[in-house]
Amino acid sequence: MKTTIIAWLLAGILLILPLQGNTEPISAFDLFRQHTAIMLLIDPESGQIVDANDAAVSYYGYSYEQLQGMNIQQINTLGPVETEQQIRRADREQRTYFVFNHRLANGAIRPVEVYSSPLIFDGRRLLVSIIHDAADREVLAETVVQSEARLRYAEQVAGLGHWVLDLENNSYRFSEGALK
């Protein structure tokens, strides 16, 4: 059943893909299993992890068997009620993007972006979730905030300013120093 779910999931995208330089075709199951994106198949009713690919096993640090025995609430740091509400909301509203904190096997908490889409297979509803680690993005955002603060301070000390031309809107944005 599991192999069939994965095959149907990916068959819509690619039935059979020949690898470059290889005459051996790759199956949809192999594509799911070996893809570098972290992927989970989740039962939206129970939160049970139905399947996980190799990237998920590597990222979360749990064995394949452990992941299959887990509920998404054991990974998501939201409480059980909030996690269940988010799963139902995604399923009901066809919402596809979420930002969560996920717990890894070693206890580390990582911010993640989750792209989740409903899938109906043999009358069974599942959520296909692709997970991206967002920790680097948060560090980068904090670096930008700090850099902007240093720029404002430097402009204040030097009595200078700057401006930015927004080509899409054909408008200018001026810093405080540029307005003086």
Side-chain angles (χ1 to χ4, degrees):
M1 167 85 171
K2 211 170 292 175
T3 303
T4 310
I5 291 171
I6 294 168
W8 274 102
L9 168 71
L10 297 174
I13 300 169
L14 303 167
L15 293 174
I16 294 180
L17 236 180
L19 293 175
Q20 188 175 19
N22 189 353
T23 57
E24 212 42 49
I26 186 168
S27 71
F29 177 77
D30 290 335
L31 183 62
F32 170 81
R33 183 70 51 223
Q34 296 172 14
H35 200 283
T36 58
I38 303 161
M39 291 190 248
L40 299 173
L41 293 178
I42 302 167
D43 181 330
E45 295 299 317
S46 67
Q48 183 68 35
I49 297 173
V50 175
D51 205 354
N53 70 352
D54 294 343
V57 170
S58 176
Y59 178 75
Y60 287 108
Y62 297 103
S63 71
Y64 176 73
E65 292 76 19
Q66 286 174 309
L67 276 173
Q68 282 189 304
M70 295 177 79
N71 190 293
I72 194 64
Q73 295 170 355
Q74 293 172 275
I75 292 174
N76 199 323
T77 61
L78 288 177
V81 172
E82 294 93 345
T83 301
E84 186 176 326
Q85 288 173 344
Q86 291 293 338
I87 289 171
R88 294 199 189 290
R89 187 174 175 196
D91 190 41
R92 183 180 63 249
E93 296 177 8
Q94 306 276 317
R95 187 170 167 207
T96 60
Y97 176 76
F98 303 90
V99 177
F100 295 123
N101 286 317
H102 279 187
R103 183 175 292 105
L104 308 183
N106 66 8
I109 305 295
R110 303 289 292 191
V112 295
E113 295 177 326
V114 179
Y115 296 86
S116 193
S117 301
L119 168 74
I120 298 174
F121 180 77
D122 283 343
R124 183 176 181 192
R125 295 180 65 86
L126 297 174
L127 290 177
V128 180
S129 294
I130 299 174
I131 296 104
H132 297 277
D133 188 311
D136 292 340
R137 187 170 297 157
E138 285 188 359
V139 169
L140 181 60
E142 180 59 30
T143 302
V144 168
V145 167
Q146 291 174 0
S147 180
E148 288 176 345
R150 284 192 299 273
L151 175 61
R152 280 191 301 277
Y153 179 72
E155 286 181 350
Q156 244 179 357
V157 169
L160 299 172
H162 74 277
W163 53 269
V164 176
L165 170 61
D166 181 344
L167 293 174
E168 284 185 28
N169 298 323
N170 197 27
S171 63
Y172 291 91
R173 189 180 54 173
F174 298 92
S175 70
E176 263 185 57
L179 294 173
K180 293 181 181 180

